[in-house]
Amino acid sequence: LRQLERFVLRVGYRLLRMSWRLRHPVSLGVRLLLVENEKILLVKHTYRPGWFLPGGRPDRGESLASTARREAKEEAGVETEDVEAVGNRLPSSVLADDHVAIFRANSFD
């Protein structure tokens, strides 16, 4: 019975992921380099181990630069107006469809 339960959960999880991928074939996000005195500000999330650049997904109709500023405020508690696009990270494999725009801010409060 335990093996059947695990099998059903595994299949259900795969079906949910497949359904999500069909409805969202490409994901778009931003990451922000907050640089001050040659140091980069990182954030630590409660839901994931490690340190990360602040970032996230844009809201509907939101520009990527606005997303970077919003995520800096939400995740790092800092405000910045001066953000510049410095590049992007493309998918690491054929199966991954996540595109991340990288921004940089040299001053923030």
Side-chain angles (χ1 to χ4, degrees):
L1 191 61
R2 183 85 172 139
Q3 286 180 330
L4 178 61
E5 182 181 303
R6 286 185 12 210
F7 174 76
V8 169
L9 288 173
R10 212 171 33 243
V11 169
Y13 174 75
R14 287 184 180 171
L15 287 173
L16 282 173
R17 282 186 52 90
M18 195 180 328
S19 168
W20 191 89
R21 277 287 185 207
L22 289 172
R23 289 181 286 127
H24 304 92
V26 175
S27 66
L28 179 63
V30 302
R31 291 284 177 219
L32 180 61
L33 287 160
L34 293 165
V35 182
E36 190 171 74
N37 298 327
E38 297 184 24
K39 294 180 182 177
I40 297 174
L41 180 76
L42 299 174
V43 296
K44 191 169 191 171
H45 299 294
T46 57
Y47 55 87
R48 189 171 169 191
W51 293 91
F52 301 91
L53 296 172
R57 294 181 184 199
D59 292 334
R60 184 177 296 271
E62 183 179 35
S63 73
L64 295 177
S66 294
T67 302
R69 287 190 291 273
R70 177 177 53 79
E71 291 293 341
K73 176 79 170 159
E74 289 177 4
E75 293 189 1
V78 299
E79 292 190 29
T80 182
E81 291 299 320
D82 182 29
V83 296
E84 67 172 307
V86 294
N88 56 37
R89 184 184 65 113
L90 298 175
S92 56
S93 74
V94 175
L95 298 176
D97 288 326
D98 53 333
H99 300 267
V100 180
I102 310 295
F103 286 82
R104 178 183 174 128
N106 294 321
S107 64
F108 51 90
D109 296 324

